[in-house]
Amino acid sequence: MTAQEVRLCGLLLREHFGEVVEKVGTQLLRSGAQNLRTIIHETGLSVDLVKKSLMVLVQHGACLFSSGRKGPGSPTEYRSGCDRILRILRYPRYIYTAKTLYGDTGELIIEELLQRGHMTMSGTVKTVADRLTQNMEEGRSMDYSEVSSAFSKLVETHFLQRCPPLAGAGTADSTNPAPGATPATPSTPAAPPTPESFPDCYKVPHMTLVGRGKRQLTAEDGEDQRNAKRQKMDPEAHGDEGIYWQVNFERFHLHFRDQAIISAVANKLDQTSSEIVRTMLRMSEVTTSPAATCTKPLSANEIFRSLPASYNIPRPILDQYLTLLVDDPMEFVGKAGESGGGMYVVNLHRALANLARATLESVVQERFGSRSARIFRLLLRKRHLEQKQVEDFAMIPAKEAKDMLYTLLSQNLVQLQEIPKTPDYAPSRTFYLYTVNQLPTARMLLQNCYKTVANLIERRLFESKESKRLLEKSQRIEAILASLQASGAEPEQLTEVEEMITAPEKQQLDGLRLHINKLDSAENQVDETIFRLESDVNSTATS
Amino acid sequence: MAGKGRGVAAFTFNIEALGIGRGSMPEARVGPSPLFPSTDFKPVPLKAGEDEDYMLALKQEMRGTMQQLPHNIKPQSNKSEVERYTERYLKKSQIEDEDWTPDWNLFPKELMPQTKKPRAKAGTKKKPVKISRKETEAMLSKLDALAKNDDRNPEKSDDETEKKPGNEEEEEVEAEEYDEEDIEEENDYIDSYFDNGEDFAADSDDNMDGEATY
């Protein structure tokens, strides 16, 4: 948990959950596993606030608790990890992906689950149906069964999973049969069970939920309140109490990874090759484990049969495409055998490594120019080179090459390796070789990305704070306008109210909005780079 | 140290091996590097397209919504006595129907609020009268919550969750427990000395006990 990660997590918590949760969260991140007393003491907040913050963090999966290290009698310990909190940056991407795959219904389901942490299926279905009904035209409403079917589809493709029931730290779920195999007993401090270790992880519960979405009447708020209160008073049991669902981030990441590979192939080769790779990845979705180095081998016959009908490529052309893909230096596709017309695999880890390498190269190019990028690529390919060799291979005059190498070295993108000729490391008798190590460089750039996003967020908060008075004024005017319009006012009154904002103020507001949008958009796009670097670092670490 | 006094820039190794001549050294640093150095290459503009705009809108919406959910815990703000005019228009209503009652099966027991039997160490410190006070507080807070749901008083829009109405009173309780005495009151006089009637001190309970502890 580096300092940059902790800082970024703190800012994310502050933006989404408030400053109190930020304090508690950063305390947990900085100091590891602690029990309640220590947290209260260190943060200096009141007991109540700390308890609530911890509940919020646990609800959203950012914090795990387990019985203490000293045995079953010691107080529960809470620990938190940066990864889960950093995912908050990626929420828009998850929601957008769900929208492209499963339409508006899927989008709203994922959005609700991300906002609440975890929910029961019935609760989600009801809320989503209500929201969809809200946006539909008058007289139509959304049936619960449609939403339930979308939910089931999401579970089938593993985008949603059940939350693991409490293993030993408290009472187990009794309403619905909890999965039989609860792993760790309280006495053995094993790692917290992953949701996947439960056999029922992806089983949709049988639920009795019939009805349609209710449209929220905007007419009278008082009546609404009473309705809401009545709903609260008699909760209907739908047969799935105690089963909570959460979003399965790993599955989304696999999807993003596949998309990145397909678009890389499309950029490097052509559309047809990317379709072939997409088919191969689709066929091996269920058979490949998330941490696999490459997909299971597929024969060319199978690929031919599974190509989408719109692509009418004859068989020999497909073979040619496959050969091209195998021969490509990026090594996306590899050949694993000759049976069945040729067995082909998609090299996942190698593809990720190549994507990360391309990111690194592009970073060097944008920061230092294309000639420095040429030196960098050369060093990546040839591993170790002497000063003289760098100049020769890169075809750059000596003086400039030295300058560029020196700059790269001072930025830590390039390292020096000493190879002594004599045991005493005498400088005149030692080779000094320049080299690039991809993994440490990727890690360093990843930390830079975290720092970038943290800076972007801070700058955005600073800008909003500077113009806080102006923003408040504009909000007030909008509220007045809205209430006037709702009660039916004449256009003159409306223009009069609008003129309360002077023209230079309007300009300032527009400029402010533009800046904030730019900063937000930049955060989203830096997150794409973060994803690529992170997946490469994680895949190299596990392989 | 071999080069000390003889030459300013004397290196311990043969500098030619690195390919850097004596004349091509960069200038010596005169201070810390500037905070915002000028870059030779300007950054590439952001991607702009439908997808990006949609994700931008999603992000801003999500931020706004999450700030209104009961998950967003606001620090205790000093409630000014007079509600400022601006605040009436700015008070965005918190999402009402989310009296967040979590499923206690999923949380450790010690996180439950207002437990009758808190941790043993703290329990022995508290006086028995305070524990029974907590129960009355719980009842009061539940009644308050229901009352507020009916009234929809805009001033109290912060306290939507069930626990929150109890929060204020609890804060005062804990202020008495954990802080020294008299911090609560700005002045030196005991509250009940000025017997102004009902509208002065809402909880006569507090003052009664305040007197009792002296």
Side-chain angles (χ1 to χ4, degrees):
Chain A
M1 231 117 3
T2 66
Q4 297 300 335
E5 286 176 13
V6 173
R7 178 175 160 228
L8 178 56
C9 289
L11 284 170
L12 285 172
L13 286 175
R14 190 202 302 183
E15 289 231 295
H16 293 263
F17 298 114
E19 290 179 0
V20 178
V21 179
E22 177 197 359
K23 260 201 202 149
V24 175
T26 39
Q27 172 60 30
L28 275 174
L29 285 170
R30 281 214 182 99
S31 318
Q34 294 159 73
N35 55 8
L36 186 57
R37 213 51 173 130
T38 326
I39 302 176
I40 297 176
H41 176 72
E42 296 279 328
T43 54
L45 295 167
S46 75
V47 185
D48 210 45
L49 284 179
V50 172
K51 282 188 189 172
K52 277 187 230 170
S53 319
L54 281 173
M55 281 192 0
V56 169
L57 286 173
V58 173
Q59 167 89 8
H60 284 262
C63 168
L64 299 166
F65 59 90
S66 57
S67 60
R69 286 169 272 191
K70 302 191 191 130
S74 57
T76 47
E77 287 195 334
Y78 303 91
R79 74 178 68 84
S80 178
C82 274
D83 312 337
R84 177 62 184 82
I85 304 180
L86 289 172
R87 299 281 163 264
I88 297 184
L89 268 181
R90 218 165 280 161
Y91 281 2
R93 205 168 164 197
Y94 297 142
I95 303 176
Y96 187 63
T97 312
K99 183 188 172 85
T100 48
L101 291 175
Y102 293 103
D104 284 340
T105 324
E107 175 193 7
L108 284 181
I109 293 178
I110 298 283
E111 191 176 334
E112 281 295 315
L113 277 172
L114 284 174
Q115 281 175 358
R116 312 271 168 175
H118 55 242
M119 277 172 83
T120 57
M121 181 167 172
S122 43
T124 325
V125 167
K126 271 195 244 171
T127 330
V128 172
D130 288 345
R131 276 180 74 176
L132 282 169
T133 315
Q134 196 77 19
N135 295 335
M136 283 174 150
E137 55 220 25
E138 291 293 328
R140 293 187 49 202
S141 66
M142 189 64 155
D143 196 21
Y144 282 169
S145 57
E146 283 181 47
V147 184
S148 306
S149 65
F151 196 98
S152 319
K153 266 191 276 184
L154 278 168
V155 173
E156 270 167 28
T157 41
H158 291 204
F159 281 109
L160 296 177
Q161 64 188 178
R162 285 200 200 185
C163 299
L166 218 46
T171 57
D173 290 316
S174 45
T175 44
N176 255 315
T182 33
T185 60
S187 52
T188 54
T194 61
E196 305 243 319
S197 46
F198 297 107
D200 282 349
C201 182
Y202 296 113
K203 197 166 81 161
V204 181
H206 178 63
M207 205 179 62
T208 58
L209 183 65
V210 276
R212 306 190 71 86
K214 292 177 195 36
R215 187 182 297 276
Q216 192 109 4
L217 300 164
T218 53
E220 293 172 36
D221 291 340
E223 202 178 285
D224 242 338
Q225 275 309 309
R226 262 170 266 135
N227 277 341
K229 200 171 62 146
R230 217 174 300 135
Q231 271 179 359
K232 250 186 312 182
M233 295 301 214
D234 45 356
E236 309 147 43
H238 295 292
D240 71 334
E241 270 66 32
I243 304 184
Y244 292 92
W245 297 87
Q246 66 189 15
V247 175
N248 184 4
F249 296 117
E250 290 310 315
R251 179 69 183 87
F252 274 105
H253 293 167
L254 294 180
H255 181 83
F256 294 156
R257 177 196 71 186
D258 294 346
Q259 269 188 329
I261 296 178
I262 293 169
S263 65
V265 173
N267 282 340
K268 184 119 199 270
L269 299 174
D270 75 336
Q271 184 69 17
T272 321
S273 339
S274 78
E275 281 305 319
I276 296 176
V277 176
R278 191 200 300 265
T279 317
M280 288 174 75
L281 283 170
R282 199 166 20 100
M283 285 161 63
S284 25
E285 242 172 22
V286 278
T287 52
T288 318
S289 75
T293 324
C294 45
T295 61
K296 291 257 171 354
L298 296 164
S299 71
N301 299 330
E302 285 174 9
I303 301 176
F304 184 62
R305 273 198 298 269
S306 322
L307 274 178
S310 47
Y311 275 87
N312 242 337
I313 359 179
R315 183 58 201 274
I317 307 279
L318 171 70
D319 286 334
Q320 282 182 350
Y321 266 114
L322 283 169
T323 324
L324 264 177
L325 278 167
V326 168
D327 288 337
D328 190 70
M330 292 286 258
E331 289 184 349
F332 288 120
V333 174
K335 195 158 187 183
E338 294 295 341
S339 56
M343 302 290 276
Y344 296 93
V345 292
V346 178
N347 295 320
L348 298 167
H349 281 198
R350 217 167 297 171
L352 285 175
N354 285 335
L355 284 173
R357 185 163 52 86
T359 313
L360 296 181
E361 288 170 8
S362 113
V363 165
V364 172
Q365 179 169 342
E366 292 305 323
R367 268 220 235 141
F368 301 107
S370 48
R371 299 211 281 177
S372 303
R374 192 152 22 126
I375 296 181
F376 190 78
R377 273 197 290 268
L378 187 65
L379 283 171
L380 269 174
R381 180 170 306 195
K382 300 262 191 192
R383 309 293 176 89
H384 295 271
L385 286 176
E386 264 186 346
Q387 165 73 43
K388 188 94 182 38
Q389 289 170 312
V390 168
E391 293 165 20
D392 290 340
F393 281 127
M395 294 184 285
I396 297 179
K399 220 178 170 81
E400 292 167 22
K402 278 176 221 164
D403 219 359
M404 289 176 199
L405 265 176
Y406 213 69
T407 320
L408 287 175
L409 190 63
S410 67
Q411 297 288 332
N412 231 349
L413 290 160
V414 155
Q415 283 88 38
L416 261 183
Q417 170 79 36
E418 300 165 354
I419 310 224
K421 288 191 231 180
T422 56
D424 63 349
Y425 275 83
S428 56
R429 293 188 288 275
T430 317
F431 289 115
Y432 290 96
L433 301 175
Y434 290 96
T435 181
V436 176
N437 294 326
Q438 185 175 332
L439 189 56
T441 317
R443 270 197 243 261
M444 186 186 76
L445 279 182
L446 186 57
Q447 296 304 316
N448 278 0
C449 288
Y450 291 141
K451 187 172 177 185
T452 312
V453 181
N455 287 350
L456 284 169
I457 296 182
E458 288 217 17
R459 177 72 196 197
R460 177 161 48 83
L461 292 175
F462 171 76
E463 297 253 331
S464 335
K465 201 161 68 144
E466 284 254 302
S467 325
K468 193 166 117 146
R469 201 192 131 268
L470 190 56
L471 275 174
E472 279 183 5
K473 180 174 175 187
S474 80
Q475 276 173 354
R476 199 175 64 217
I477 295 203
E478 274 171 28
I480 298 180
L481 266 179
S483 60
L484 273 184
Q485 268 175 349
S487 60
E490 298 138 16
E492 293 104 26
Q493 279 181 316
L494 291 176
T495 43
E496 196 183 304
V497 170
E498 274 171 10
E499 274 165 21
M500 277 163 62
I501 303 190
T502 63
E505 280 183 346
K506 223 180 268 211
Q507 258 183 343
Q508 205 179 341
L509 264 179
D510 286 340
L512 176 70
R513 278 207 192 107
L514 183 66
H515 288 164
I516 292 191
N517 284 350
K518 250 200 192 159
L519 291 167
D520 264 331
S521 192
E523 281 172 41
N524 280 347
Q525 294 182 22
V526 175
D527 180 64
E528 287 179 21
T529 314
I530 288 181
F531 172 71
R532 237 177 274 155
L533 290 172
E534 249 179 16
S535 28
D536 174 48
V537 168
N538 289 342
S539 71
T540 325
T542 52
S543 64
Chain B
M1 269 210 283
K4 214 173 179 182
R6 255 193 288 135
V8 177
F11 295 93
T12 53
F13 51 92
N14 184 8
I15 200 65
E16 260 85 50
L18 268 179
I20 310 171
R22 196 51 80 79
S24 63
M25 275 288 131
E27 300 129 19
R29 298 173 67 119
V30 291
S33 37
L35 199 50
F36 296 106
S38 60
T39 48
D40 297 324
F41 301 92
K42 295 300 166 207
V44 180
L46 293 172
K47 279 192 278 189
E50 241 184 68
D51 303 348
E52 278 79 28
D53 291 339
Y54 193 77
M55 286 210 272
L56 175 67
L58 274 177
K59 183 181 173 116
Q60 291 178 333
E61 255 180 52
M62 162 146 286
R63 200 163 55 220
T65 332
M66 287 192 83
Q67 282 174 353
Q68 292 173 16
L69 284 179
H71 294 298
N72 194 316
I73 300 178
K74 303 193 178 9
Q76 168 129 61
S77 52
N78 306 332
K79 289 273 180 59
S80 49
E81 293 300 319
V82 178
E83 182 192 280
R84 294 171 59 204
Y85 177 73
T86 47
E87 294 190 350
R88 185 172 316 183
Y89 283 102
L90 290 181
K91 279 279 190 319
K92 300 198 180 112
S93 62
Q94 289 237 314
I95 299 190
E96 301 272 336
D97 45 324
E98 303 312 324
D99 273 7
W100 177 38
T101 38
D103 183 358
W104 292 111
N105 285 333
L106 299 172
F107 295 99
K109 291 287 180 272
E110 65 176 1
L111 289 184
M112 286 180 72
Q114 299 171 2
T115 47
K116 306 297 191 309
K117 198 180 270 198
R119 307 172 291 281
K121 202 164 72 156
T124 49
K125 266 202 289 195
K126 288 200 190 128
K127 299 198 176 89
V129 70
K130 294 241 163 83
I131 294 186
S132 69
R133 228 182 54 238
K134 276 213 172 342
E135 287 174 74
T136 54
E137 297 287 344
M139 283 313 299
L140 277 176
S141 66
K142 282 205 182 82
L143 290 174
D144 276 352
L146 290 176
K148 272 157 198 151
N149 278 335
D150 276 342
D151 282 352
R152 209 181 129 74
N153 195 348
E155 278 188 21
K156 304 275 178 32
S157 66
D158 274 337
D159 313 342
E160 292 309 319
T161 60
E162 290 182 76
K163 298 179 273 300
K164 284 237 185 247
N167 189 17
E168 270 183 85
E169 282 129 318
E170 264 199 26
E171 296 293 335
E172 286 172 21
V173 168
E174 275 151 16
E176 278 183 15
E177 284 172 15
Y178 296 133
D179 301 339
E180 309 308 312
E181 311 96 354
D182 277 350
I183 292 248
E184 234 188 286
E185 309 294 333
E186 296 293 325
N187 46 18
D188 291 330
Y189 302 108
I190 309 176
D191 258 352
S192 56
Y193 186 75
F194 296 102
D195 203 357
N196 275 350
E198 289 89 72
D199 59 341
F200 181 68
D203 310 346
S204 53
D205 270 355
D206 280 354
N207 295 327
M208 285 279 288
D209 272 357
E211 263 188 337
T213 54
Y214 283 83

